[in-house]
Amino acid sequence: MRVPTKYIPTATMIKHKLAALVHNGAVIMQLNKGIYGLKQAGRLAQQRLISHLADHGYTPSEHSTCLFKHATNGNVFTLVVDDFGLKYNTKADAMHLLDTLEKLYKIKTNWAGDHYIGFDIRFGTCATTHTRTVTLSMPRYLPNALKRFQLGHHRPVHNPIDYKSGAFCAIQTPTPLDTSPLCSPEETKRIQRIVGVLLYYTRAIDATFATAVSKVSSAQA
């Protein structure tokens, strides 16, 4: 990577004795690790991981690049950024994936399998049908979102979107022209952040949010 000296603080130049390495107003350096914020870093890290997994028998599914399977031992896992959700047959099979990953990374394990990419996961059995169940929840997500954006409500809310009563009429009156002022850039960015946070929860846990989040997003646009 070529870094012009005008972008390198004087203290950094002195500390690392970079003056002797300057050529045509810049320092040429070799990168041996990823740099956070560099747009190529994520792609390079992904390519490195996929290549490493392939060397140990793991390949992505034909129809879903986030789903990986092992050629022989039956391991199947989903990969979201750096979180692996593994289905395995024996402890030895699971250790095969852990040993593979530990050759490149420091890892943490959750053998209970009760937390993944923000989900709290509960396994159980239905009392009436005796079928096995999986329940997903994110109990801390909305309280944290309300605190982050300093949101609250002053009356009980029992529906995710405003309900307007009244019978359908044969003649529909047109929607009044919206003459309210446009949002400022700061207000627009705030609404987009809130919509983004709630959209993830909507798609992941509670689809009843979808109409409300969609209407707010459309109104903002």
Side-chain angles (χ1 to χ4, degrees), residues 144-152 190 194:
N144 288 342
L146 293 174
K147 182 178 180 180
R148 171 185 173 185
F149 297 112
Q150 298 181 330
L151 298 172
R190 172 176 167 80
I194 294 173

Side-chain angles (χ1 to χ4, degrees), residues 48-49 52 99-106:
R48 181 190 188 209
L49 173 60
H52 178 69
D99 292 341
T100 297
L101 296 176
E102 286 180 334
K103 292 178 180 179
L104 285 184
Y105 312 105
K106 293 180 180 179

Side-chain angles (χ1 to χ4, degrees), residues 138-185:
M138 301 173 74
R140 295 169 296 279
Y141 193 86
L142 290 182
N144 288 342
L146 293 174
K147 182 178 180 180
R148 171 185 173 185
F149 297 112
Q150 298 181 330
L151 298 172
H153 52 77
H154 305 289
R155 58 183 175 82
V157 177
H158 304 294
N159 201 51
I161 194 167
D162 288 340
Y163 169 75
K164 293 180 173 57
S165 61
F168 287 101
C169 303
I171 301 176
Q172 298 292 324
T173 56
T175 303
L177 183 66
D178 187 352
T179 58
S180 58
L182 297 176
C183 291
S184 67

Side-chain angles (χ1 to χ4, degrees), residues 197-218:
V197 167
L198 294 181
L199 189 60
Y200 179 72
Y201 183 84
T202 298
R203 292 173 173 172
I205 297 294
D206 190 351
T208 63
F209 275 54
T211 300
V213 173
S214 178
K215 281 183 173 290
V216 172
S217 180
S218 296

Side-chain angles (χ1 to χ4, degrees), residues 12-54:
T12 302
M13 292 287 295
I14 296 173
K15 179 179 178 180
H16 298 287
K17 300 181 175 65
L18 298 181
L21 304 177
V22 175
H23 179 71
N24 290 336
V27 177
I28 307 298
M29 58 189 70
Q30 176 177 311
L31 304 183
N32 296 319
K33 294 186 178 182
I35 296 180
Y36 288 108
L38 191 67
K39 64 181 181 180
Q40 294 88 345
R43 177 66 171 167
L44 293 171
Q46 181 193 40
Q47 291 174 336
R48 181 190 188 209
L49 173 60
I50 291 177
S51 176
H52 178 69
L53 289 171

Side-chain angles (χ1 to χ4, degrees), residues 124-133:
T125 304
C126 178
T128 55
T129 63
H130 303 291
T131 54
R132 298 185 67 185
T133 62

